[in-house]
Amino acid sequence: MNTGNNVFYEEVRLQEWKRRSTNNFFELVYIKEGKGKQCINYNYYPYKKGNIFLLPPLKCHSFLLEEPTDFVFLRFTQSFFKQQNTKSSNFENWYKEASFILTNYNQKPGDIIKSVYDKKHIIQLTNIISHELKNGDPSSEEVIRIIMVSILHIVMRNVKIINRDLIGTINKDSKFIEIINYIQENISNPELLKTENIAEKFHISPNYISEFFKKTSGNTLKSYIIKSRLKLVEVRLLNSDFNLNQIADELGFSDASHLTRTFKKHTGLTISEFRNKGDYCLLKIV
C-alpha cells in the first residue's frame, strides 16, 4: 500500500521472516497477530499480539516467527516527509521530530510504547490509515499525513520516557536527567546550549555545571553536546538535501569548514567518505 510512488504503509502476513530493504530513518512495526522473537544486534525479545516496535536504521534486525504473524509496517522516510501537497504538511517539524527519535532511541529490543493509552491510540490511528488507503478518497493522502504526524508525536513522547527511565537506572540525580533532556530538546539552538545559559537555566554556577556533568556522566558537557550535534549531522547528510553551510548554521558550527574538521575528528571520516559509505557512525554506537 502506498501514497504516490512512496511506500510508507505495509500490512503483511508472514510464515517466515524475509529480509527487508534498509531505511535511513526508521520503521514502526505493529504486531496484529502472532508470536515469536524480535532480534536487534543479536539481542532477543519475545513478541506477541499488540507489541509495537521501532526498527532502527541500518541495524541487524529480524524476527524469529514461532507462528504465522500479521505485521503492520509504518515507514518514516525523507521521501514521505517531503510530499507536501497542502499547507497542513510541515516537513521541517516532521524532520526535527524524526531526527530527535533517531538520535535518542536506545536501539534495544522491546516495546517502544510504554503508555497503555498511547499504544491504544497508535493502534486506532493505524487502523484509520488502513481504512483511508482502502477508501481511496482524494483527500485521504493528507488525512494520512496528519495521522502520521500524530503517531510521530506519540513515539517521541515515549522515547523521552524510555530515556528518562534508562538514565534514572544509571544515576538517580534528577537534575542530571533534566539537563540531558534540556540539551536534547534544544540541540538545534546553540545559543541555549552555551554553558552559561544551561547553568542559569538550572541555577548552577557555570564552573560547577561542567564539573557536575563530567562527574555524573563521565563525559564533558562540551563533548556530549558536540557528539549530539554530530549525530544530527549524520542524519542530515544521509537523509536531506541540506548543504554543509545550512547544516553548520542550523547546528551551531561557525561555518562548513568548522563542521568538516569536527566531523573528521570524531568519526575518522571526511564528509565525502561518510556519504560514500552511506552508513551511520556515531548513531550506531549504543
Side-chain angles (χ1 to χ4, degrees):
M1 299 182 185
N2 63 79
T3 178
N5 295 317
N6 299 288
V7 175
F8 72 94
Y9 178 96
E10 183 181 4
E11 187 171 340
V12 60
R13 182 176 180 82
L14 296 179
Q15 304 288 332
E16 62 180 1
W17 180 250
K18 296 180 180 178
R19 183 178 178 84
R20 297 172 61 76
S21 59
T22 57
N23 176 16
N24 277 348
F25 266 96
F26 49 80
E27 287 182 301
L28 200 66
V29 185
Y30 163 45
I31 308 295
K32 291 190 73 172
E33 294 287 346
K35 67 177 182 178
K37 289 187 173 76
Q38 179 208 21
C39 173
I40 295 181
N41 288 348
Y42 311 105
N43 294 308
Y44 291 88
Y45 179 88
Y47 75 79
K48 63 182 186 302
K49 177 180 178 179
N51 282 144
I52 298 176
F53 301 115
L54 196 63
L55 299 188
L58 303 177
K59 289 279 183 175
C60 170
H61 64 254
S62 61
F63 289 86
L64 301 176
L65 281 59
E66 295 176 4
E67 62 183 40
T69 300
D70 293 333
F71 293 94
V72 173
F73 297 95
L74 283 178
R75 190 166 191 164
F76 294 82
T77 65
Q78 181 199 8
S79 58
F80 182 79
F81 294 163
K82 278 202 162 182
Q83 290 180 5
Q84 297 190 72
N85 297 326
T86 72
K87 292 181 180 179
S88 61
S89 296
N90 189 321
F91 167 69
E92 187 60 26
N93 284 344
W94 272 66
Y95 195 87
K96 286 183 178 179
E97 291 191 6
S99 296
F100 177 91
I101 292 169
L102 189 56
T103 56
N104 287 278
Y105 174 48
N106 62 26
Q107 302 177 7
K108 294 289 192 291
D111 211 314
I112 188 67
I113 306 301
K114 300 305 180 183
S115 164
V116 174
Y117 296 105
D118 281 352
K119 181 173 288 189
K120 288 180 180 179
H121 293 333
I122 287 182
I123 291 173
Q124 290 169 347
L125 291 171
T126 301
N127 290 335
I128 294 172
I129 290 175
S130 178
H131 174 77
E132 288 293 329
L133 284 168
K134 293 172 183 176
N135 185 37
D137 188 277
S139 65
S140 289
E141 183 170 331
E142 189 54 35
V143 171
I144 290 170
R145 201 175 312 285
I146 293 169
I147 294 171
M148 292 282 278
V149 171
S150 299
I151 291 174
L152 201 60
H153 277 296
I154 294 171
V155 172
M156 186 167 70
R157 180 164 67 192
N158 281 265
V159 167
K160 288 181 180 180
I161 293 171
I162 290 172
N163 283 352
R164 181 195 65 202
D165 293 344
L166 179 64
I167 294 172
T169 61
I170 299 171
N171 189 294
K172 302 299 182 182
D173 196 308
S174 61
K175 184 70 71 176
F176 176 72
I177 297 171
E178 290 174 10
I179 293 171
I180 288 289
N181 288 336
Y182 175 82
I183 291 171
Q184 294 301 336
E185 289 171 3
N186 295 285
I187 197 65
S188 294
N189 192 329
E191 185 65 27
L192 292 179
L193 296 188
K194 290 182 177 179
T195 301
E196 58 269 26
N197 290 337
I198 297 176
E200 181 179 357
K201 169 72 177 178
F202 292 97
H203 309 291
I204 302 173
S205 74
N207 289 334
Y208 178 69
I209 195 168
S210 298
E211 179 184 336
F212 168 75
F213 196 92
K214 171 77 173 182
K215 181 179 179 181
T216 307
S217 70
N219 295 304
T220 65
L221 179 60
K222 181 179 179 181
S223 174
Y224 179 83
I225 292 173
I226 289 174
K227 288 182 179 179
S228 294
R229 283 181 177 145
L230 288 176
K231 288 180 180 181
L232 290 179
V233 170
E234 289 188 347
V235 173
R236 280 150 178 73
L237 288 174
L238 294 186
N239 299 282
S240 81
D241 299 324
F242 300 156
N243 61 44
L244 291 184
N245 285 322
Q246 289 173 315
I247 296 173
D249 183 63
E250 178 193 4
L251 294 176
F253 297 91
S254 58
D255 53 33
S257 295
H258 179 211
L259 167 58
T260 301
R261 292 194 305 271
T262 306
F263 190 86
K264 176 67 182 293
K265 178 180 178 181
H266 289 275
T267 67
L269 298 173
T270 65
I271 298 292
S272 296
E273 289 169 341
F274 175 79
R275 279 178 163 156
N276 290 335
K277 181 184 176 187
D279 197 354
Y280 297 107
C281 294
L282 296 175
L283 266 172
K284 297 185 77 172
I285 301 174
V286 179

